Amino acid sequence: MEEIDSMSGIQFETVLSHLLRSEGYDVKRTPKSGDYGADLVLRKGSDVIVVQAKRSSNNIGISAVNEIVGASGYYKANKRWVITNQFYTNAAIVQAHKNKVKLLDRDDLILMLRHYNKNSIKRKPILKDISKEKTNLWR
């Protein structure tokens, strides 16, 4: 997790893109600016999921939840997620519950990384793959 904790936000989005693709999601990156509150748009079956990716050194507050709620209308999503390398404030948890936003925290991210690496025996671990990529190619 130290490597993730030191990444830029764009690098973190790239890691999440790989993780989610490995789980069968079609992943689209939103523009660097003017993204209407979403960093990733996922599609799987009939689901359209907007994701706010928050790589931070602090716990994530209510604004991330509010952003993804707003993004869901713009992208016509039926599910909303916020994924972070940290944890959430109580206000963010309450707001997420009221607005049906799925919060994935540091512990969930660790499980996602372990699952990816466990099921990727023929591939290199994800963090080594990502660190060699040019993140601007993912936009």
Side-chain angles (χ1 to χ4, degrees):
M1 284 302 291
E2 285 180 28
E3 192 172 348
I4 285 183
D5 290 341
S6 65
M7 287 181 174
S8 71
I10 292 173
Q11 289 171 321
F12 184 58
E13 290 173 23
T14 302
V15 168
L16 292 179
S17 294
H18 280 276
L19 288 172
L20 295 164
R21 275 191 190 101
S22 76
E23 294 298 320
Y25 292 95
D26 176 43
V27 179
K28 301 287 184 212
R29 304 277 300 271
T30 62
K32 288 181 184 180
S33 62
D35 62 13
Y36 298 94
D39 297 310
L40 305 172
V41 179
L42 314 178
R43 294 183 191 283
K44 189 174 189 181
S46 62
D47 287 329
V48 177
I49 306 160
V50 285
V51 177
Q52 175 68 249
K54 288 292 187 185
R55 207 278 326 141
S56 180
S57 54
N58 300 310
N59 287 342
I60 304 305
I62 198 168
S63 64
V65 176
N66 291 339
E67 288 175 22
I68 205 63
V69 168
S72 66
Y74 180 80
Y75 292 101
K76 298 179 180 154
N78 60 345
K79 294 188 178 179
R80 310 164 183 117
W81 297 355
V82 181
I83 305 175
T84 185
N85 65 315
Q86 295 299 326
F87 296 98
Y88 297 93
T89 64
N90 287 336
I93 293 167
V94 169
Q95 182 76 333
H97 178 71
K98 294 280 185 182
N99 288 283
K100 298 180 180 156
V101 174
K102 182 175 184 175
L103 300 179
L104 297 156
D105 65 18
R106 187 176 189 86
D107 294 335
D108 298 311
L109 184 58
I110 289 169
L111 290 174
M112 290 168 68
L113 287 164
R114 285 183 184 156
H115 184 259
Y116 177 90
N117 289 330
K118 177 182 169 189
N119 292 327
S120 303
I121 295 170
K122 294 180 182 179
R123 291 182 277 184
K124 298 175 193 168
I126 193 168
L127 295 178
K128 292 183 190 232
D129 289 344
I130 298 303
S131 63
K132 292 179 183 174
E133 291 185 16
K134 295 183 180 179
T135 57
N136 61 349
L137 297 177
W138 291 92
R139 283 274 174 212

